[in-house]
């Protein structure tokens, strides 16, 4: 029986290790992914060495009591920590390609390596799309699949971390669709002023949305704001932003959270994510509106049971070679219950403030 040798190249293990690093570092959300509680996207690999299909995130809110002073009695006056939990269930996903020896013979490129590059691109885009879906999700339901009743109920619980356009008054009694209809293409574009308003909301929400510590200076804190392309266009047109950015590149040159093309304003790093979907015709006079996501620490969880891994397969007497990639893991927007009697009742988005702004196409 004849055996077919694998085309020379990187071994699967070497390739997988290299891909994992590139997967974390190379996607648009890479700078905000990390294993600690300071990360916007907190990665946990507890299931990588043990069985199970879910990972629990512990959410501990800050203490708000006054404490005791001047020799006051502390015993009996302790403050209870508000502890909540979030269970992230993981799932498996995979994709594969196959080619024949004859195709490889005719091809001017190494089809095995091309297969892995193609699968790597698919995996990274799949990761990006899942993060975007989770940022906009309504209590675990993708925004586009959520009913109006679900959106209204979500808004009731998250009114302190949701902004429609440039004014708090655009919220029409927590009616989600009516609030979107108040957004117009004049007053409700994303501006420096609206960014600062979102930051104030994040700092005064209950519980507050905790900013993330600077990667270069632990005395500085930032929020990360993800915006789609048309909203970024309008923000760049704001003269306040234009003037402020002249010194930003120098000021932020040692800040790993800041990448080329980002905008920094008032302790907010704004990043363009062109794949955030526009909501067609939902604004005033039928204009398009798009969401933006102001994120602090632990906005999204990423639970991993198995990192992206490739597998090679030869079949049909060595005439066909396939390459597959698969992962066991999932993303979820972290939410916590605010109901006094239920850990998961009256859910609030833990680290995300959602804004909706005009997103009218270029004319």
């Amino acid at each position: 029986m004849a055996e077919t040798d694998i085309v020379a190249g990187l071994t699967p293990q070497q390739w997988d290790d290299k891909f994992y690093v590139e997967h974390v570092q190379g996607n648009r959300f890479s700078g905000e992914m990390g294993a600690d509680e300071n990360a916007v996207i907190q990665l946990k690999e507890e299931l990588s060495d043990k069985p199970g299909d879910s990972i629990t995130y512990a959410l501990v809110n800050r203490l708000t009591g006054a404490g005791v002073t001047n020799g006051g009695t502390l015993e009996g006056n302790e403050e209870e920590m508000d502890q909540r939990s979030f269970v992230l269930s993981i799932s498996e996903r995979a994709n594969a390609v196959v080619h024949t020896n004859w195709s490889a013979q005719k091809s001017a490129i190494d089809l095995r390596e091309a297969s892995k590059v193609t699968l790597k691109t698919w995996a990274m885009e799949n990761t990006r799309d899942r993060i975007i879906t989770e940022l906009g999700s309504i209590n675990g339901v993708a925004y586009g699949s959520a009913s109006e009743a679900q959106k209204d109920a979500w808004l009731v619980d998250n009114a302190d971390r949701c902004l429609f356009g440039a004014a708090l008054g655009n919220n029409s009694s927590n009616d989600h669709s009516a609030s979107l209809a108040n957004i117009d293409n004049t007053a409700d574009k994303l501006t420096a002023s609206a960014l600062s308003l979102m930051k104030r909301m994040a700092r005064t929400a209950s519980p507050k949305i905790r900013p993330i510590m600077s990667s270069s200076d632990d005395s500085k804190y930032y929020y990360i704001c993800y915006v789609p392309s048309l909203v970024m266009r309008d923000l760049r047109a704001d003269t306040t932003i234009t003037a402020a950015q002249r010194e930003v590149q120098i000021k932020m040159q040692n800040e790993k959270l800041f990448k080329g093309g980002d905008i920094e304003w008032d302790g907010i790093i704004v990043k363009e994510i062109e794949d955030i979907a526009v909501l067609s015709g939902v604004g005033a006079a039928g204009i398009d509106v798009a969401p933006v996501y102001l994120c602090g620490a632990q906005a999204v969880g990423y639970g991993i049971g198995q990192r992206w891994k490739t597998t090679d397969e030869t079949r049909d007497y060595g005439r066909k070679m396939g390459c597959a990639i698969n992962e066991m893991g999932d993303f979820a927007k972290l939410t916590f219950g605010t109901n006094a009697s239920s850990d998961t009742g009256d859910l609030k988005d833990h680290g995300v403030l959602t804004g909706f702004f005009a997103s009218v196409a270029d004319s």
Side-chain angles (χ1 to χ4, degrees):
M1 179 178 69
E3 295 184 356
T4 301
D5 291 331
I6 298 297
V7 178
L10 296 173
T11 66
Q13 187 60 51
Q14 290 172 329
W15 193 92
D16 290 340
D17 288 345
K18 179 182 178 183
F19 168 63
Y20 179 75
V21 173
E22 293 177 347
H23 173 251
V24 172
Q25 295 180 350
N27 72 72
R28 195 64 182 87
F29 297 93
S30 61
E32 297 79 67
M33 295 176 71
D36 62 28
E37 295 180 357
N38 186 57
V40 172
I41 302 172
Q42 186 182 5
L43 185 154
K44 293 174 75 73
E45 293 192 84
E46 297 171 2
L47 297 180
S48 62
D49 58 358
K50 61 183 178 182
D53 63 355
S54 63
I55 294 175
T56 299
Y57 283 77
L59 308 176
V60 181
N61 294 325
R62 59 191 289 272
L63 299 177
T64 58
V68 299
T69 59
N70 300 329
T73 302
L74 186 58
E75 185 175 354
N77 291 304
E78 299 90 350
E79 183 175 353
E80 180 182 0
M81 287 196 306
D82 185 12
Q83 302 175 70
R84 302 285 170 168
S85 63
F86 180 88
V87 177
L88 191 158
S89 298
I90 67 171
S91 58
E92 187 214 15
R93 58 190 39 77
N95 204 348
V97 295
V98 65
H99 65 271
T100 66
N101 279 345
W102 179 236
S103 296
Q105 174 66 32
K106 295 188 297 179
S107 176
I109 63 172
D110 185 335
L111 288 183
R112 177 172 176 270
E113 285 306 305
S115 297
K116 289 194 171 183
V117 170
T118 302
L119 289 170
K120 167 189 168 182
T121 301
W122 174 83
M124 293 182 71
E125 291 178 347
N126 180 270
T127 296
R128 175 205 65 204
D129 293 345
R130 285 186 288 152
I131 293 173
I132 293 173
T133 296
E134 286 304 321
L135 286 170
S137 63
I138 304 296
N139 292 339
V141 180
Y143 184 90
S145 301
S147 67
E148 284 303 310
Q150 288 173 320
K151 292 174 183 176
D152 289 347
W154 169 82
L155 182 55
V156 168
D157 292 329
N158 289 274
D160 61 347
R161 53 196 71 213
C162 190
L163 177 65
F164 295 89
L168 296 174
N170 283 337
N171 183 332
S172 292
S173 302
N174 293 329
D175 183 315
H176 187 78
S177 58
S179 300
L180 288 174
N182 290 329
I183 299 172
D184 67 45
N185 195 37
T186 302
D188 296 312
K189 296 177 180 179
L190 182 61
T191 62
S193 176
L195 279 174
S196 293
L197 173 57
M198 286 194 290
K199 178 182 176 180
R200 292 195 298 273
M201 291 177 65
R203 299 306 299 268
T204 58
S206 179
K208 296 180 179 180
I209 296 176
R210 179 167 57 90
I212 58 177
M213 186 183 299
S214 165
S215 59
S216 60
D217 184 345
D218 60 10
S219 67
K220 295 181 180 179
Y221 292 85
Y222 294 99
Y223 289 104
I224 305 296
C225 188
Y226 302 113
V227 308
S229 296
L230 293 174
V231 175
M232 181 67 105
R233 172 204 62 191
D234 293 337
L235 181 62
R236 291 189 185 281
D238 182 356
T239 55
T240 301
I241 289 293
T242 303
Q245 298 314 295
R246 292 169 185 158
E247 305 298 326
V248 163
Q249 292 293 338
I250 297 175
K251 182 178 75 171
M252 302 293 286
Q253 60 183 345
N254 295 321
E255 180 56 65
K256 293 181 181 178
L257 294 168
F258 187 86
K259 307 293 183 183
D262 292 347
I263 288 175
E264 191 275 333
W265 169 259
D266 194 17
I268 304 168
I269 298 175
V270 185
K271 297 177 176 288
E272 181 178 355
I273 306 293
E274 61 270 18
D275 300 285
I276 295 176
V278 170
L279 308 179
S280 300
V282 299
I287 69 163
D288 294 344
V289 170
V292 307
Y293 306 110
L294 182 82
C295 297
Q298 291 182 292
V300 174
Y302 182 16
I304 298 178
Q306 175 194 285
R307 297 177 177 183
W308 286 106
K309 177 182 178 182
T310 56
T311 303
D312 291 316
E313 180 184 71
T314 302
R315 59 183 186 267
D316 194 19
Y317 297 96
R319 296 175 64 245
K320 295 180 180 179
M321 287 168 285
C323 182
I325 192 168
N326 78 302
E327 176 211 41
M328 296 180 188
D330 251 324
F331 293 90
K333 180 163 64 173
L334 300 183
T335 58
F336 59 86
T338 57
N339 189 298
S341 60
S342 172
D343 192 25
T344 56
D346 301 327
L347 294 174
K348 279 196 175 188
D349 296 347
H350 179 62
V352 183
L353 187 149
T354 305
F356 297 91
F357 293 92
S359 182
V360 176
D362 297 320
S363 59

